[in-house]
Amino acid sequence: METCTTLFDTHVHLDLLPSQLDPVQEVARANRAGIDRFLIPGVQPRDWHQLLEVANSVPGALAALGTHPVAARQWDRDAARRLETLLTRRKVVALGEIGLDGTSGMPPAEVQEQALRQQIRIAVSAGLPLVLHCRRATGRLLQILHDEAASRVGGIWHGFSGSSETARAAIDLGFGLAFGGPLTWPDARRGPQVLQALPQAWIVLESDAPDLPPAPHRGESNRPCYLRLVAERMAALRQWSLDTTACITTGNALRLLRIRAA
């Protein structure tokens, strides 16, 4: 196996860090921890240009643009036209994060589904992979991915916390599974069990900073450099070295996002 020692953070909101955390400085800290690639996912249309500005200012950063289910009411024809145009930018390698969220306070399911379906169609037309968000809507999301032939582009299922059966269904559709801070929590059960049983070709890493910090930083703002703690926990669970973990997960991320290795 080719030796590689750097990590790829496939989901980090560098444009939404708390004001006291400067993105450039945080990326420098992450670099010192062995992390040199970062995918910044979109949340709402009004922030896309700011996201691209951050991606352009940070070495190793790439962008995914999309409308998160929390912002599904902002999705309209104008947002669709803007998205189609911005997807041609050099730093944009995926469409996301998009999906469904069944937790309380979210837009109605039909509003979320309309935004999701239309964005999948744009991604398929553009030939770009997807970054998926899903909470309490797994069955419906899988059905829509089937309906819209999302397997033509595949991508990454962000913050995966589902069952082994859901993992197999996602993999069958061409989606890698991203593991972050919750993998390290002392009370974590299903995540570690699912991770240990997965084919290694479908495993990637994410921080989701500034959210979901790993142990021992729960209760704090998550920082990109903390991804190394997730990688160390993954290495222990899979009985890999840290270098092997980096090589496997970075290689998988590059393949799933259709990025040529430097």
Side-chain angles (χ1 to χ4, degrees), residues 76-93:
D76 55 20
R77 290 183 180 178
D78 178 64
R81 286 193 293 268
R82 289 175 55 217
L83 183 59
E84 288 172 332
T85 299
L86 292 173
L87 290 180
T88 63
R89 297 288 183 91
R90 180 179 60 87
K91 285 265 188 168
V92 179
V93 297

Side-chain angles (χ1 to χ4, degrees), residues 189-247:
R189 296 291 181 269
R190 184 161 68 174
Q193 291 173 355
V194 171
L195 172 69
Q196 288 173 314
L198 285 177
Q200 70 178 41
W202 299 94
I203 300 169
V204 298
L205 287 162
E206 68 170 28
S207 70
D208 200 17
D211 300 318
L212 297 177
H217 298 287
R218 292 180 77 175
E220 306 172 15
S221 289
N222 196 3
R223 305 175 80 151
C225 61
Y226 295 162
L227 182 71
R228 187 177 181 91
L229 298 172
V230 182
E232 290 171 352
R233 178 60 174 152
M234 179 178 287
L237 288 167
R238 292 291 306 219
Q239 298 185 329
W240 294 335
S241 69
L242 190 58
D243 282 0
T244 296
T245 302
C247 195

Side-chain angles (χ1 to χ4, degrees), residues 14-15 23 40 49-59 61 91:
L14 293 177
D15 59 324
I40 312 173
H49 280 290
Q50 178 186 345
L51 188 160
L52 286 172
E53 288 177 3
V54 173
N56 286 326
S57 69
V58 172
K91 285 265 188 168

Side-chain angles (χ1 to χ4, degrees), residues 5-73:
T5 59
T6 58
L7 301 169
F8 192 143
D9 189 343
T10 64
H11 203 99
V12 54
H13 295 279
L14 293 177
D15 59 324
L16 299 176
L17 296 178
S19 58
Q20 70 270 24
L21 300 182
D22 175 72
V24 174
Q25 293 180 6
E26 289 304 306
V27 164
R29 289 173 62 100
N31 290 162
R32 293 193 291 271
I35 306 144
D36 69 355
R37 291 183 176 92
F38 311 86
L39 182 64
I40 312 173
V43 176
Q44 50 189 349
R46 67 187 180 202
D47 293 338
W48 290 341
H49 280 290
Q50 178 186 345
L51 188 160
L52 286 172
E53 288 177 3
V54 173
N56 286 326
S57 69
V58 172
L62 298 166
L65 297 182
T67 301
H68 186 288
V70 73
R73 288 191 180 92

Side-chain angles (χ1 to χ4, degrees), residues 130-206:
L130 297 164
V131 177
L132 299 178
H133 169 101
C134 185
R135 285 194 295 183
R136 300 184 183 179
T138 302
R140 188 59 182 156
L141 177 59
L142 288 170
Q143 183 59 58
I144 291 172
L145 294 174
H146 278 288
D147 291 347
E148 300 297 338
S151 60
R152 292 175 61 184
V153 292
I156 293 174
W157 190 305
H158 145 64
F160 187 77
S161 61
S163 65
S164 295
E165 292 75 17
T166 300
R168 286 193 292 270
I171 289 170
D172 287 345
L173 287 165
F175 288 90
L177 309 174
F179 293 85
L183 191 69
T184 72
W185 296 351
D187 56 349
R189 296 291 181 269
R190 184 161 68 174
Q193 291 173 355
V194 171
L195 172 69
Q196 288 173 314
L198 285 177
Q200 70 178 41
W202 299 94
I203 300 169
V204 298
L205 287 162
E206 68 170 28

Side-chain angles (χ1 to χ4, degrees), residues 3 5 24 42 106 116 127 140 255:
T3 300
T5 59
V24 174
M106 288 288 171
L116 172 62
R140 188 59 182 156
R255 185 188 82 250

